[in-house]
Amino acid sequence: MNTKRILTTAIAATTCMMTMNAQPKLSPTNIDEVLKAMTLEEKAKLLVGGANNFFGDQAVVGGEADLVAGAAGTSPAIPRLGIPATVLTDGPAGVRIDPTRKGTDKTYYATGFPIGTCLASTWNTELVGKVGEAIGNETKEYRCDVILGPGMNLHRNPLCGRNFEYYSEDPLLTGKIGAAYINGVQSQGAGVSAKHFAVNSQETNRTGVDEQLSQRAARELYLRSFEIAVRESQPWTIMSSYNQINGQYSMGNRDLLTSILRDDWGFKGIVMTDWIGIRKGLETITEVQAGNDLMEPGQPAQVKEIIDGVNSGKLDIKDVDRNVRRMLEYIVKTPSFKQYPASNAPDFKAHAAITRQTACEGIVLLKNGPHPASPKGGERLTLPLQLEGAGGGYTVALFGENSYDFLSGGTGSGCVHTPYVVDMVEGLKNAGISTSKTLTDIYRKYIEYARVKFQAERHPANWFQQEMFGQQKYPEAAFSPIAIGKEVREADAAIVTIGRQAGEGADRDIATEFNLLDEECALIIDVCNAFHQADKPVVVIINSGSVIETASWSSYPDAILCAWQPGMEGGNSIADLLTGKVNPSGKLTMTWPVAATDHASTKNFPGSIDDYTFKQMVGSNRPIPGHTYTNHEEDIYVGYRFFDTFGRPVAYPFGYGLSYTTFGYSKPAVQLSGDVVTVSITVKNTGNVAGKEVAQVYVTAPDGQIEKPAKELKAFAKTRELQPGESETLTMTIPVRLLASFDEAGSQWISEAGTYTVHIGSNIADIRATAPFKLSKAYTEKTSDALRPQQKLNLLKRK
Ligand code: BGC
């Protein structure tokens, strides 16, 4: 080898080593170095999801590699720099992946946990934390990194199709339950995506509607739940919503994603878009600038747009680098980065026990009247069922198709492919109760028939009507009085299950989804008439993720249990409550109105324009209320804030739920010290069986410059299981900043000075104790002046 060749070889080797040095592999300690080593193409790629075929034939797969079949999306891998792909999966009621995969007999079912409304109705943050831990564990074991939940939008109106995924009409409760779920998931080393940020309270035209609302309603209600979750649980990721807020799309809204989320609240994670890819009228670079770090599900054209944007000077590389840095900080936390050895075999048995227990605490007892056989004014209540003394075993005549085709969860991206669902027959059987044979056989056959008949009628063009997006609700079968009469002779009691299905992509309509259908009312009334003639009780089970109409029929049955969609152990949980193995302790997290139209938001909630008519009308460029824009004229008077303040009657108030025992409340102790109000109260079980109680703390503010609702929930706590005669002292704290109203003129939070009244109750209409405290000096906290409405809104006022 001559000298020249030796020299050339040496130079080549050095260059190669230098290049290798310039290729650091990502680690938590070298993020700056990796960022420096990234090309513009790589940076742009990292900001755009890898599920590029999301809009193709296959509905949902990881595009980078088919990482986890059925997961909603990925963040892309850059192997050169040791950056792995990460996998994002729906949520929120469990890990939503395909249950089967090509080329293997192995199955990938996931535990179906109680849906959002049921979880929140437990008012038990510790238990929700356990659900979060189990979901975090399944996320990781199924080789995913982030679960796309919790759903933290507010129930602005009972007709929103996705209310089942959300927790409540109240932001404090939503925030606390959400934070508990998030802390649970993240304690397992998996992440969440709290969604949909923000003001996404309707499904109708969700990708286009402009939610027009005051800064005050935005801050106090729709953002407050997310604020609490950010401050108390630092979610790894947040998902921006599809809709616009005051004229700007959330996903490209700097006010929302940077000024409020990061500057005001201190959010440290990444923001990802909801699953829309490129959207008309909004540039990807605007999203990058706004602080949206990951475009989902991602399309190659978005990568190009970012690159072109930087090259043309339209997009500052600093904005790109800032987002890329956040992505890298996220990635180093993930199981994929840590090469977690996923087992694909979560512990279903342990998780089934958690879902069964949680559902028991989330199911709400709405009515428990006297047993028809008890003497007038007698002591005996309908529930729990008294199985003893029924010679030959206790038999129930089980009506309602959802008794047999039990709805464990809702539809759309929020549905989970569960290994099984315990229906009512099985649940009762496990509790030693049989169901009358002929009726059970008829219903089983009917369900088989309905599956075939109505499956064929699903609209193939409508995504969310496909089987993979959840269970359908079939029409009820009708029974003649003679057939019902036969059941009276065979059974000790009757149960009628009323089911409702709803989900992503559509809001519910009043006539067929909120109200009962004529045939459902007829079934309840006929069964009640027949069974009551023989002094036998009738229980109605509501198997719905959201509120339904009850006022017109609730006087007929002897007891009503709102089971929600309680997850895959549903039948067992219901049986635990019916038999008294568990005492109900769930409480409503939203008002149940007499009529759906009683809510103040009704005037501005989408009407019943069908999709076709809507498209025609949009084609005409005419703005359509509730569709192209939604005017929040009810302002802060959402849910109980409206009913309680304006003295309107309701079917069941916020916070309501019965127990098989009774509770007494002591005099409370209320003390303000520094910036925190401490409330203590002793709750005593004054009845005959063990049970848990939820003490709810509402606060009335002094009459000041800013109009306030009559009462607002400011704290809550649930007792442990108290034996008869046993007491527990609950101590709750309220930071003074949580008493504040948003003062738009000053862009600040303000808790005015004066005397506040604390009300502690079993629900908002059943206050058991009150006490005042005085705030001698107003509390203020400056914020950004974000999300100003573009036009004057005609807002509902108390005075
Ligand atoms: C839904 C999200 C979901 C995403 C991915 C969207 O259409 O709004 O909640 O996480 O799809 O499936």
Side-chain angles (χ1 to χ4, degrees):
M1 206 185 274
N2 63 27
T3 325
K4 203 173 155 201
R5 263 194 76 194
I6 292 171
L7 206 64
T8 318
T9 314
I11 291 171
T14 318
T15 315
C16 181
M17 275 173 65
M18 277 169 64
T19 320
M20 275 173 63
N21 283 343
Q23 286 189 17
K25 296 287 182 207
L26 181 65
S27 87
T29 52
N30 73 350
I31 288 176
D32 282 338
E33 205 186 327
V34 170
L35 186 60
K36 232 167 154 184
M38 287 174 87
T39 64
L40 175 58
E41 284 71 15
E42 286 168 337
K43 289 176 181 173
K45 189 179 168 199
L46 197 65
L47 300 185
V48 177
N52 299 334
N53 52 356
F54 187 82
F55 294 108
D57 301 339
Q58 251 176 314
V60 187
V61 284
E64 272 286 319
D66 195 355
L67 286 170
V68 180
T74 56
S75 72
I78 303 177
R80 182 179 83 85
L81 298 167
I83 301 173
T86 69
V87 183
L88 318 167
T89 182
D90 279 305
V95 174
R96 185 178 188 287
I97 53 176
D98 288 350
T100 53
R101 290 184 192 168
K102 277 187 211 137
T104 171
D105 289 341
K106 196 178 151 32
T107 54
Y108 300 80
Y109 290 99
T111 305
F113 291 91
I115 47 118
T117 42
C118 184
L119 274 192
S121 299
T122 65
W123 296 63
N124 185 339
T125 48
E126 204 184 313
L127 198 52
V128 173
K130 286 205 178 116
V131 170
E133 283 169 22
I135 292 178
N137 171 271
E138 290 198 17
T139 304
K140 214 167 62 173
E141 294 306 336
Y142 273 137
R143 206 248 149 288
C144 298
D145 297 283
V146 167
I147 183 112
L148 302 174
M152 297 194 56
N153 296 105
L154 290 198
H155 294 193
R156 171 175 175 249
N157 186 282
L159 301 178
C160 172
R162 288 185 92 169
N163 275 356
F164 79 96
E165 290 181 71
Y166 307 146
Y167 295 135
S168 169
E169 64 192 19
D170 181 80
L172 176 93
L173 186 57
T174 301
K176 295 281 179 187
I177 297 288
Y181 177 107
I182 296 167
N183 282 326
V185 172
Q186 296 191 168
S187 72
Q188 300 302 299
V192 301
S193 194
K195 67 189 188 184
H196 309 88
F197 190 56
V199 205
N200 182 183
S201 298
Q202 69 180 60
E203 286 302 284
T204 306
N205 194 26
R206 62 180 173 152
T207 57
V209 68
D210 180 21
E211 302 285 348
Q212 300 178 356
L213 78 171
S214 69
Q215 287 175 302
R216 180 177 178 197
R219 290 270 188 175
E220 284 184 28
L221 299 182
Y222 301 95
L223 301 181
R224 194 55 135 178
S225 50
F226 287 96
E227 179 187 354
I228 292 171
V230 167
R231 291 186 192 272
E232 296 185 9
S233 61
Q234 271 297 343
W236 285 11
T237 91
I238 282 188
M239 188 190 294
S240 56
S241 59
Y242 286 131
N243 54 283
Q244 304 178 58
I245 303 174
N246 290 334
Q248 266 194 61
Y249 283 111
S250 303
M251 55 203 279
N253 193 329
R254 198 169 194 289
D255 265 6
L256 184 69
L257 306 184
T258 297
S259 308
I260 293 179
L261 183 61
R262 299 179 196 276
D263 300 344
D264 288 349
W265 303 347
F267 175 64
K268 302 269 184 290
I270 60 160
V271 176
M272 66 179 74
T273 68
D274 201 344
W275 263 236
I276 198 163
I278 296 173
R279 90 179 301 158
K280 242 167 116 186
L282 180 68
E283 294 183 332
T284 301
I285 60 176
T286 309
E287 298 172 51
V288 174
Q289 286 161 337
N292 217 324
D293 308 295
L294 181 61
M295 312 299 139
E296 284 297 336
Q299 281 172 284
Q302 293 178 290
V303 178
K304 184 169 179 309
E305 198 190 320
I306 296 171
I307 296 170
D308 291 350
V310 173
N311 286 337
S312 69
K314 208 168 150 191
L315 177 60
D316 194 331
I317 187 70
K318 284 201 195 114
D319 283 335
V320 173
D321 282 351
R322 178 200 58 210
N323 296 10
V324 169
R325 179 190 304 280
R326 290 198 290 240
M327 282 298 296
L328 295 174
E329 284 164 358
Y330 147 73
I331 289 165
V332 295
K333 290 191 285 201
T334 59
S336 285
F337 178 79
K338 295 179 179 163
Q339 300 185 353
Y340 180 78
S343 67
N344 283 319
D347 186 348
F348 284 138
K349 219 163 149 210
H351 296 174
I354 293 172
T355 179
R356 180 170 178 168
Q357 185 198 356
T358 310
C360 279
E361 285 210 18
I363 292 174
V364 182
L365 180 61
L366 296 178
K367 177 178 178 182
N368 195 13
H371 189 288
S374 64
K376 278 243 169 318
E379 298 288 278
R380 184 175 162 202
L381 294 177
T382 302
L383 295 178
L385 297 172
Q386 287 187 3
L387 308 190
E388 308 84 41
Y394 201 89
T395 304
V396 163
L398 197 52
F399 292 92
E401 66 106 359
N402 292 114
S403 299
Y404 303 85
D405 190 28
F406 193 76
L407 302 171
S408 61
T411 61
S413 60
C415 93
V416 181
H417 303 295
T418 62
Y420 61 84
V421 174
V422 178
D423 65 15
M424 295 278 297
V425 183
E426 216 182 320
L428 292 171
K429 194 169 144 212
N430 294 340
I433 300 175
S434 39
T435 58
S436 53
K437 191 171 174 326
T438 320
L439 191 62
T440 303
D441 288 348
I442 292 172
Y443 267 112
R444 289 258 193 252
K445 290 212 170 82
Y446 169 68
I447 302 291
E448 260 174 52
Y449 157 80
R451 270 204 187 114
V452 178
K453 174 167 164 53
F454 298 107
Q455 191 63 37
E457 287 177 10
R458 286 186 181 213
H459 202 300
N462 183 342
W463 265 31
F464 297 117
Q465 280 195 18
Q466 294 169 29
E467 204 179 357
M468 64 179 291
F469 286 109
Q471 253 175 297
Q472 203 173 349
K473 152 97 190 123
Y474 306 125
E476 284 300 339
F479 290 88
S480 70
I482 298 178
I484 296 174
K486 188 175 160 295
E487 292 303 318
V488 176
R489 286 190 294 281
E490 272 190 35
D492 299 290
I495 291 179
V496 183
T497 301
I498 297 294
R500 281 291 177 278
Q501 190 53 303
E504 186 170 358
D507 291 314
R508 302 191 302 150
D509 84 64
I510 296 179
T512 62
E513 292 176 297
F514 184 83
N515 291 347
L516 259 53
L517 299 168
D518 288 349
E519 52 269 35
E520 291 170 321
C521 280
L523 184 66
I524 292 177
I525 293 171
D526 290 350
V527 170
C528 287
N529 286 342
F531 275 74
H532 287 167
Q533 270 179 28
D535 287 342
K536 293 180 178 178
V538 179
V539 181
V540 169
I541 306 288
I542 298 174
N543 180 201
S544 164
S546 324
V547 183
I548 63 167
E549 192 276 335
T550 50
S552 71
W553 56 268
S554 60
S555 61
Y556 291 93
D558 307 290
I560 307 174
L561 203 57
C562 173
W564 307 113
Q565 292 169 327
M568 70 186 197
E569 285 283 321
N572 282 335
S573 302
I574 293 172
D576 286 346
L577 295 164
L578 290 176
T579 57
K581 186 174 163 199
V582 179
N583 187 350
S585 62
K587 306 259 191 173
L588 299 177
T589 60
M590 75 301 282
T591 310
W592 282 43
V594 176
T597 49
D598 290 350
H599 274 266
S601 55
T602 299
K603 207 172 135 206
N604 294 290
F605 196 80
S608 53
I609 303 176
D610 60 63
D611 268 7
Y612 176 77
T613 321
F614 172 54
K615 279 186 188 132
Q616 303 288 100
M617 292 167 91
V618 169
S620 75
N621 277 335
R622 189 148 35 100
I624 306 165
H627 291 71
T628 33
Y629 67 93
T630 288
N631 216 319
H632 289 234
E633 287 183 317
E634 76 282 0
D635 201 29
I636 52 164
Y637 294 112
V638 170
Y640 72 79
R641 285 170 167 75
F642 172 67
F643 290 100
D644 185 54
T645 307
F646 290 79
R648 299 295 164 89
V650 299
Y652 300 106
F654 178 82
Y656 175 88
L658 300 173
S659 164
Y660 297 152
T661 187
T662 49
F663 296 96
Y665 285 63
S666 71
K667 253 177 83 117
V670 175
Q671 207 194 350
L672 170 68
S673 165
D675 277 346
V676 176
V677 182
T678 304
V679 178
S680 298
I681 191 146
T682 302
V683 177
K684 182 174 181 186
N685 183 345
T686 50
N688 299 322
V689 289
K692 297 183 177 181
E693 169 70 328
V694 178
Q696 303 159 32
V697 178
Y698 299 91
V699 173
T700 303
D703 253 350
Q705 284 166 17
I706 302 182
E707 176 179 315
K708 295 266 234 182
K711 296 189 210 79
E712 289 182 292
L713 183 76
K714 294 297 174 191
F716 62 89
K718 193 165 191 170
T719 65
R720 63 172 185 272
E721 184 163 82
L722 298 176
Q723 296 303 318
E726 200 186 348
S727 303
E728 181 179 352
T729 300
L730 300 171
T731 301
M732 295 160 269
T733 52
I734 309 170
V736 168
R737 67 180 302 278
L738 273 193
L739 299 172
S741 290
F742 191 72
D743 164 30
E744 296 177 351
S747 295
Q748 61 178 347
W749 289 103
I750 172 156
S751 306
E752 295 188 55
T755 301
Y756 288 73
T757 310
V758 173
H759 311 263
I760 302 151
S762 181
N763 67 61
I764 193 166
D766 182 10
I767 298 302
R768 304 291 185 84
T770 59
F773 71 90
K774 202 166 165 212
L775 192 65
S776 35
K777 199 170 147 274
Y779 168 91
T780 56
E781 184 182 312
K782 215 58 195 148
T783 69
S784 54
D785 176 24
L787 301 180
R788 259 190 193 281
Q790 296 181 331
Q791 61 289 310
K792 200 172 157 19
L793 300 163
N794 184 20
L795 302 176
L796 176 64
K797 290 273 174 248
R798 189 171 169 183
K799 294 169 198 146

